[in-house]
Amino acid sequence: MRIITTVEEMQTLARELRAAGSTIGCVPTMGYLHDGHASLIRAAAEHHGTVVTSIFVNPMQFAPTDDLSRYPRDFERDKIIAEAAGCAVIFAPTVDEMYPAGFATTISVGGVSAPFEGAHRPGHYDGVATVVAKLFVAIAPDEAYFGQKDYQQTLVVRRMVTDLGLPVKIHTMPTRRESDGLAMSSRNVYLSEEERAQAAALYRALSVGVSTIERGERQADAIVDAMHAVLSMIPGITIDYLAVADAATLSTHETYAAGQEVVLLLAVRIGTTRLIDNMLCTIGG
Ligand code: AMP
């Protein structure tokens, strides 16, 4: 496996790979890899001669109050997990390489960036869109693989790719979960034993939301109340948002129509750890 740290080297390698007939699948990550990341690498490896995994903890998508300085890192372990999953190249630039002195360009996606994470983390999706665009310029992938775990992020990236006409096909892959349903996340390492047990309530709440819809409920209030009842039993959970929204636009409605695809979205804080999760569901007829 090759480790590349500069944009120029990455671009040269991408050109060489393409000239040699290989397509490139790319998996952008912030490292501290787990099986969710590995599942994206495996999916990319099924379809591409070369998988490039980027590992870059992107300061631009963290607010000053966020967890940038304590974000977990273990590059040696990441190399082993990435290679075992089928990664051929790790692109791991430094902050100075990605944001050279005087950096002054931001990609700001409107619409789907605004609610939920966008409202709670101002500037977050500007940071995401800008870094993903820069990664695409460096890696020149044919296709890129993202996790449904960060559902709103996938919509933001798809919007940007369409609007800028970037020649990259975006895939959204299913969320990998622990045995009790908790979505795998690099941030789960922050949780104490007690908090870790409490965190399983996120999955239970989303599952209750889905079963409420499957029983025929179409009213947003009733769906959200059912999920809220699960979370409210857990002491120490603070809800940032808990919602049902149109899966394509993230617009919210009082009542959803039969056949409409919706996403159940939540963000909570348990102690000092902020966790997000979601599930997709179709409103019944
Ligand atoms: P991160 O390192 O948290 O920025 O995540 C990098 C990529 O992995 C993003 O596309 C995430 O959505 C995806 N990802 C994170 N957690 C999971 C998971 N549990 N299952 C599937 N994909 C995930």
Side-chain angles (χ1 to χ4, degrees):
M1 194 173 56
R2 287 186 64 171
I3 313 294
I4 305 276
T5 56
T6 69
V7 172
E8 198 180 328
E9 247 186 304
M10 186 65 242
Q11 288 170 333
T12 303
L13 177 62
R15 271 195 299 276
E16 288 168 2
L17 288 166
R18 187 147 291 120
S22 177
T23 60
I24 300 174
C26 129
V27 180
T29 83
M30 298 203 299
Y32 211 70
L33 302 184
H34 50 67
D35 199 53
H37 300 113
S39 71
L40 304 183
I41 297 170
R42 287 193 293 267
E46 263 181 45
H47 296 102
H48 296 283
T50 308
V51 179
V52 180
T53 304
S54 63
I55 296 183
F56 181 63
V57 182
N58 174 32
M60 196 176 170
Q61 70 189 67
F62 288 76
T65 49
D66 282 346
D67 56 346
L68 174 63
S69 62
R70 67 169 184 150
Y71 196 84
R73 296 166 199 249
D74 189 341
F75 192 60
E76 293 310 309
R77 188 166 149 273
D78 287 349
K79 283 197 278 191
I80 294 165
I81 293 172
E83 187 159 31
C87 174
V89 180
I90 289 183
F91 178 50
T94 61
V95 172
D96 288 345
E97 178 70 13
M98 289 297 269
Y99 298 112
F103 188 87
T105 302
T106 300
I107 295 183
S108 192
V109 178
V112 289
S113 283
F116 305 118
E117 287 302 283
H120 284 266
R121 303 183 69 187
H124 172 66
Y125 285 125
D126 287 359
V128 169
T130 305
V131 83
V132 169
K134 284 182 62 77
L135 291 169
F136 286 176
V137 168
I139 299 166
D142 297 277
E143 304 191 347
Y145 294 74
F146 292 84
Q148 188 198 315
K149 155 83 175 12
D150 298 279
Y151 184 74
Q152 190 173 1
Q153 170 172 281
T154 67
L155 297 185
V156 171
V157 169
R158 284 174 184 278
R159 186 75 255 162
M160 173 182 76
V161 163
T162 300
D163 290 355
L164 298 183
L166 302 179
V168 184
K169 183 172 179 198
I170 304 299
H171 294 272
T172 301
M173 306 307 292
T175 301
R176 300 282 296 178
R177 298 180 179 280
E178 304 288 356
S179 55
D180 63 357
L182 177 65
M184 291 179 181
S185 166
S186 307
R187 289 187 166 98
N188 292 348
V189 71
Y190 298 149
L191 299 167
S192 69
E193 207 176 315
E194 188 190 354
E195 291 168 343
R196 170 64 190 80
Q198 293 175 326
L202 277 67
Y203 176 74
R204 290 201 302 275
L206 292 168
S207 303
V208 163
V210 168
S211 53
T212 303
I213 290 170
E214 285 172 350
R215 280 200 307 275
E217 187 58 65
R218 296 182 188 187
Q219 301 282 333
D221 279 358
I223 298 163
V224 170
D225 286 352
M227 294 193 288
H228 190 262
V230 177
L231 294 181
S232 63
M233 288 191 299
I234 311 298
I237 281 195
T238 313
I239 298 172
D240 272 3
Y241 59 80
L242 178 59
V244 52
D246 182 272
T249 64
L250 297 186
S251 61
T252 53
H253 306 267
E254 277 178 26
T255 307
Y256 289 89
Q260 188 169 3
E261 201 181 0
V262 295
V263 59
L264 305 174
L265 292 159
L266 58 77
V268 308
R269 278 169 287 134
I270 303 181
T272 56
T273 307
R274 188 169 182 282
L275 300 174
I276 61 171
D277 201 352
N278 68 84
M279 279 188 196
L280 289 164
C281 187
T282 305
I283 300 291

